[in-house]
Amino acid sequence: MNAVERSIVADQSLAPEGHLKIDWVKAHMPVLNRIREQFEKEQPFRGLKVAISLHLEAKTAYLAKVVQAGGAEVTITGSNPLSTQDDVCAALAEDGITVFAKYNPDPQEYKELMIKTLETKPDLIIDDGGDLVTILHSERRDLLEGVRGGAEETTTGILRLKALDKEGRLEFPMVAVNDAFCKYLFDNRYGTGQSVFDGINRTTNLVVAGKTVVVVGYGWCGKGVAMRAKGLGAQVVVTEIDAIKAVEAYMDGFTVLPMSEAAKIGDYFVTVTGNRDVIRGEHFEVMKDGAILSNAGHFDVEVNKPELAAQSSSVRTVRRNIEEYQLKDGRKIYLLAEGRLVNLAAGDGHPAEIMDMTFALQALSLKYVNDRYGAIGKTVVNVPYELDEQVARYKLESLGISIDRLSDEQKAYLQSWQEH
Ligand SMILES: NC(=O)c1ccc[n+]([C@@H]2O[C@H](COP(=O)([O-])OP(=O)(O)OC[C@H]3O[C@@H](n4cnc5c(N)ncnc54)[C@H](O)[C@@H]3O)[C@@H](O)[C@H]2O)c1
């Protein structure tokens, strides 16, 4: 059976559109292109099976092809029901990658597609949000054997991995890609900042200038969202639970309020905490008529949807990816993309040049964990600084930017306690 026959996709006839999308991002991912050339020569994954769960759009598809170019047999599934693009899935299957993914499957089918991916018995995994690892460590422990290790993409996944690790139950090493400089400084901040407004703007077709945008959580993603909201001319309000982040937001020029106050004045709300119920019943009660809610955190738990539904007399879809909740007192609250990551469920995710660095780290981390198979403990490991720096250097070279180097005297000076 070939990959098209093995795959479960929505519509194989969509492949031509998917190929165009992949070609477009490939032309804007010079760092990953260099790694692909390296992998083609070195074949680091020859004879190995790699299972990937990532938001299945064009940039991810190109990463899968780079891993395949390194000799791996690749199987891929989505990491959110609404972020999978069916044309990209069809194109990947034609390129020899087994795909178990479709846009908007029901929850049971979504899970089954993920399990099918693991039933290929992978040697290595790439996870986003920790779902593959969680399934392997709970209901499908029978598939654990043979997994050498893997790499995790995002903040939420790393929190879950660290919780597993703390209990001493992680069964293979996982590289925390999110915690590398070339990931969170650019992907979480500039990627999320830009793509969240891409998603909101294309979905609502409404103006941001002059409105009040409430950013919930001032972590790496929240900083990017707040920065771009300000650039679009919004009044920006930040809510936080961390005193240091709250001072940082204040010093960056934003108004800091508790959600009980921010809820009353926001026109747009963007949650980016990785936490649950950060906007909930008591907040819906005081919101303005017409408030627009969206989430950019990994799971759709940040806006409490059951409480919103319970306070509503009706819900209807008023535009693609916009649900109108009519509250019992007559006010309307709009929720974008069912509270799933608005930049991916209602957009194409981060820009290609940003994911170039993130996915370069993914590819190098996967090679790193495989090269050291048996030599690193079953724990969460950081991306080595050398790999992080290599990605930054490749990026600078692709931009035609050169930087200075330390002279021997400078190196000696920086390492000395006697010189001053
Ligand atoms: N949409 C995307 O493309 C994308 C990209 C990267 C990360 N993420 C996800 O976004 C989420 C945030 O990631 P991050 O890297 O910014 O994490 P982070 O840890 O840097 O920041 C999260 C912030 O939220 C704050 N917070 C927690 N609970 C809160 C609450 N109840 N009210 C207000 N603030 C609260 C924390 O204090 C922290 O400052 C994660 O779920 C991550 O997986 C999404």
Side-chain angles (χ1 to χ4, degrees):
M1 258 208 294
N2 64 29
V4 170
E5 289 157 352
R6 277 196 305 273
S7 294
I8 300 176
V9 302
D11 184 353
Q12 194 54 46
S13 74
L14 300 173
E17 188 63 29
H19 285 300
L20 286 174
K21 285 186 178 176
I22 298 169
D23 287 348
W24 171 258
V25 298
K26 181 181 170 209
H28 296 89
M29 299 181 92
V31 180
L32 207 48
N33 285 333
R34 271 181 80 166
I35 291 167
R36 180 186 182 132
E37 282 166 23
Q38 196 181 313
F39 280 6
E40 273 167 353
K41 273 191 227 122
E42 295 169 7
Q43 293 288 290
F45 308 123
R46 184 186 295 136
L48 298 179
K49 285 185 270 184
V50 176
I52 301 178
S53 162
L54 282 171
H55 299 291
L56 220 175
E57 45 68 59
K59 282 99 59 185
T60 303
Y62 188 49
L63 169 67
K65 288 176 59 137
V66 170
V67 173
Q68 181 190 41
E73 197 182 303
V74 179
T75 306
I76 193 162
T77 188
S79 73
N80 186 296
L82 297 189
S83 63
T84 295
Q85 298 191 7
D86 289 329
D87 47 7
V88 169
C89 293
L92 269 187
E94 264 186 15
D95 286 343
I97 288 174
T98 306
V99 184
F100 294 127
K102 45 173 89 159
Y103 176 76
N104 205 11
D106 65 44
Q108 196 191 335
E109 190 182 9
Y110 175 71
K111 182 86 175 282
E112 280 166 10
L113 293 168
M114 219 166 239
I115 289 174
K116 271 194 159 307
T117 306
L118 290 172
E119 282 174 343
T120 60
K121 298 242 172 171
D123 301 281
L124 296 165
I125 61 173
I126 293 180
D127 210 356
D128 184 353
D131 282 345
L132 290 184
V133 169
T134 301
I135 293 170
L136 283 171
H137 284 77
S138 50
E139 62 209 89
R140 293 306 302 267
R141 293 186 67 85
D142 58 307
L143 301 172
L144 264 173
E145 205 192 335
V147 180
R148 297 178 173 198
E152 165 59 47
E153 170 81 3
T154 198
T155 318
T156 287
I158 290 168
L159 279 176
R160 295 173 87 187
L161 283 175
K162 285 191 171 158
L164 197 58
D165 198 8
K166 204 168 159 201
E167 291 177 14
R169 293 175 54 206
L170 186 59
E171 297 281 358
F172 45 76
M174 285 293 288
V175 184
V177 171
N178 183 76
D179 295 353
F181 292 109
C182 282
K183 165 62 164 74
Y184 67 82
L185 287 179
F186 311 116
D187 174 315
N188 298 35
R189 184 165 43 165
Y190 295 102
T192 311
Q194 178 170 325
S195 62
V196 157
F197 281 99
D198 176 12
I200 291 175
N201 294 347
R202 73 164 83 170
T203 303
T204 62
N205 195 215
L206 295 174
V207 74
V208 177
K211 303 237 176 105
T212 298
V213 174
V214 177
V215 180
V216 190
Y218 202 65
W220 288 105
C221 294
K223 289 188 231 302
V225 174
M227 187 198 317
R228 291 298 168 244
K230 185 178 176 182
L232 286 166
Q235 313 289 330
V236 181
V237 172
V238 170
T239 73
E240 253 297 345
I241 44 97
D242 180 310
I244 297 170
K245 303 276 178 57
V247 174
E248 191 182 7
Y250 168 79
M251 292 281 184
D252 286 343
F254 301 120
T255 303
V256 177
L257 290 174
M259 182 49 87
S260 53
E261 293 302 315
K264 296 176 190 163
I265 57 173
D267 297 298
Y268 292 96
F269 292 80
V270 183
T271 56
V272 251
T273 67
N275 201 355
R276 58 176 299 169
D277 305 330
V278 296
I279 302 184
R280 51 188 182 269
E282 69 203 75
H283 305 131
F284 306 133
E285 276 171 16
V286 296
M287 278 182 184
K288 293 202 280 193
D289 184 25
I292 295 173
L293 315 188
S294 59
N295 167 50
H298 190 77
F299 287 116
D300 61 337
V301 295
E302 305 214 6
V303 175
N304 189 319
K305 290 192 281 184
E307 286 185 5
L308 182 55
Q311 291 181 13
S312 304
S313 52
S314 65
V315 185
R316 64 183 183 128
T317 302
V318 288
R319 197 174 145 92
R320 184 174 155 83
N321 281 321
I322 306 184
E323 276 171 332
E324 177 193 85
Y325 286 79
Q326 168 100 48
L327 301 194
K328 289 174 185 156
D329 63 11
R331 283 174 302 130
K332 290 169 181 161
I333 290 179
Y334 298 101
L335 179 65
L336 306 190
E338 299 174 13
R340 298 187 190 277
L341 313 100
V342 69
N343 58 328
L344 282 145
D348 288 312
H350 294 357
E353 300 98 321
I354 296 279
M355 294 316 288
D356 191 21
M357 287 187 282
T358 300
F359 285 162
L361 285 167
Q362 279 285 6
L364 294 174
S365 296
L366 203 66
K367 177 175 176 323
Y368 173 82
V369 88
N370 185 51
D371 287 351
R372 283 156 192 77
Y373 175 44
I376 29 181
K378 298 172 178 178
T379 183
V380 180
V381 280
N382 290 331
V383 175
Y385 183 75
E386 301 72 50
L387 295 188
D388 217 351
E389 206 202 11
Q390 182 186 350
V391 169
R393 288 202 176 275
Y394 281 9
K395 179 72 184 172
L396 284 175
E397 283 169 32
S398 77
L399 294 167
I401 296 173
S402 45
I403 58 171
D404 293 324
R405 282 183 187 278
L406 288 174
S407 65
D408 291 344
E409 292 74 19
Q410 286 174 326
K411 268 189 211 157
Y413 178 79
L414 290 174
Q415 283 164 12
S416 159
W417 59 271
Q418 289 129 321
E419 279 191 61
H420 57 82

